[in-house]
Amino acid sequence: MNGSPHRCNFCGKSASKVKRLFAGYEAFICNDCVTLCHDILISSPIQEDQDTVFELPLPTEIKAFLDQYVIGQDEAKRNVSVAVYNHYKRINSLRNTQKGEQDDSIELEKSNILLIGPTGTGKTLIARTLAKYLKVPFSIADATVLTEAGYVGEDVENILVRLYQASNYNQSLTERGIIYIDELDKIARTEGNPSITRDVSGEGVQQGLLKILEGTISNIPPKGGRKHPEQSFVPIDTTNILFICGGAFEGLEKIVARRIGKKQVGFDAENLNISEKTPDILDYTEPEDLLNFGLIPELIGRLPVVAPLRLLDKNALFSILTEPRSAIVKQYSRLFEMEGIKLTFEKEALWEAVAIAERKKTGARALRSIFERAMLNIMFDTPSKDDIEEIIITPEVITRSGEPKVIRKSQKQTA
């Protein structure tokens, strides 16, 4: 249409001044305006209707989904399932109240969650699996990099920036997402008493977390970084964002055991026979124990649901290798299946990996590193060999003291 007298109805350019001029019903638009409109739509995504009711799964359904990925930790999964169910039921209740469909005389408070337990017990996995099931935006933040405003490090608001980015810059989705704050124990005060000196990455950060945990409108820079007056900010309401905090809380066992031990006085006192080595010691955690550990009272009050996780025993570690949908054995088998090779693990080999993981005392995290090191040479050599039918992993492969059993296609043909 370059020779036609028509012009773009948006910018007024003639057909000879543009590459393409698209005709509609008594109207025209050029390729430049189409590109501009496309850029505007991408940079400003359409927001979801705030009145949309959240599809709420039952606590039993939430736990059943967690069971597919997280082995053991039944009590923690039950606590989390109920807390999540109540949280999103609360969101639906608020929307119904705003529509006038429900009495607003009773105000429901948010129930953020605190996961405590040794490293490698599944804290992060529980939070990540929850977000996958609920189909809501999810982000992980590390509390150790947070500092008070004005110091080198990240502002507390950057936690919300990551969630905003994870929701593809959709404000409505962001405001009903899930944030997992890891290593919360690392920002505890060094002592239970209030600090009288500057505590750049400890008590000050806890104070900064208070408002966003409870619910506030926080102005965040969309691309992160420090705030500047000339920046444009996005207001994020954190009232309906579910915060799941986690940490190993190393040393909390001693605090709990010391408190319980003090109560065992007199002939009629109940003999709990509990020490810091007791597997379920963290089940007895009270708010005063977290206070003595170094969390400030206000932060403890904003984390009402405490879900302790126990150190995984050898049977749980063995199940982690084979049962979950993302089990290590299943992952390696699929990788070799892509090469047309059957991969078989001897049961003794799996138990050998469990024994090594128990000695490392880092929980399920150790299993991945054990298999990565043991399988390295096999995965390096196998793609260049096209006559392998099956590889059998023996205990010697796990300990790196021997080679796997290899069945070749030629051997099967002669047999």
Side-chain angles (χ1 to χ4, degrees), residues 387-400:
D387 64 335
I388 297 177
E389 178 80 21
E390 183 180 0
I391 296 177
I392 301 173
I393 305 301
T394 62
E396 290 74 26
V397 175
I398 302 298
T399 58
R400 293 187 294 166

Side-chain angles (χ1 to χ4, degrees), residues 128-333:
R128 192 187 300 277
T129 306
L130 268 177
K132 181 189 299 184
Y133 180 58
L134 297 170
K135 295 182 177 62
V136 295
F138 173 72
S139 69
I140 298 178
D142 191 341
T144 57
V145 301
L146 302 175
T147 58
E148 290 187 56
Y151 288 86
V152 176
E154 291 195 8
D155 289 337
V156 171
E157 285 84 0
N158 278 350
I159 293 175
L160 301 175
V161 172
R162 290 195 188 91
L163 187 66
Y164 184 58
Q165 293 168 344
S167 66
N168 196 24
Y169 301 95
N170 187 310
Q171 184 179 349
S172 176
L173 285 177
T174 302
E175 291 177 350
R176 68 177 194 186
I178 296 176
I179 294 178
Y180 178 68
I181 304 177
D182 203 5
E183 308 289 1
L184 188 74
D185 53 321
K186 303 302 188 295
I187 61 169
R189 295 190 298 235
T190 53
E191 298 178 356
N193 298 322
S195 173
I196 60 173
T197 58
R198 181 72 67 185
D199 187 8
V200 175
S201 61
E203 182 178 347
V205 176
Q206 292 188 52
Q207 297 285 356
L209 285 172
L210 291 179
K211 277 296 180 185
I212 67 170
L213 286 178
E214 182 179 21
T216 187
I217 296 178
S218 180
N219 292 316
I220 64 169
K223 296 183 180 179
R226 291 293 187 181
K227 288 185 175 181
H228 300 289
E230 65 273 12
Q231 276 184 317
S232 60
F233 298 109
V234 177
I236 299 295
D237 188 354
T238 67
T239 305
N240 295 329
I241 296 176
L242 179 63
F243 289 88
I244 303 177
C245 300
F249 287 85
E250 189 174 347
L252 182 62
E253 301 90 344
K254 296 179 182 179
I255 296 173
V256 176
R258 188 163 59 242
R259 173 181 56 82
I260 294 176
K262 288 179 181 178
K263 295 182 178 179
Q264 297 186 50
V265 178
F267 294 106
D268 295 330
E270 182 183 359
N271 183 16
L272 295 176
N273 193 24
I274 288 177
S275 72
E276 61 185 83
K277 301 294 184 183
T278 305
D280 61 346
I281 181 66
L282 293 178
D283 292 354
Y284 299 92
T285 302
E286 297 288 344
E288 63 182 280
D289 301 321
L290 297 172
L291 180 65
N292 290 330
F293 185 85
L295 297 185
I296 60 176
E298 300 91 334
L299 186 63
I300 297 170
R302 285 163 176 80
L303 296 167
V305 180
V306 179
L309 286 83
R310 300 182 184 181
L311 192 65
L312 298 168
D313 59 20
K314 60 182 181 181
N315 292 324
L317 290 172
F318 186 86
S319 298
I320 287 172
L321 288 175
T322 58
E323 292 182 12
R325 293 180 63 177
S326 57
I328 296 175
V329 167
K330 294 178 181 178
Q331 291 185 45
Y332 277 109
S333 297

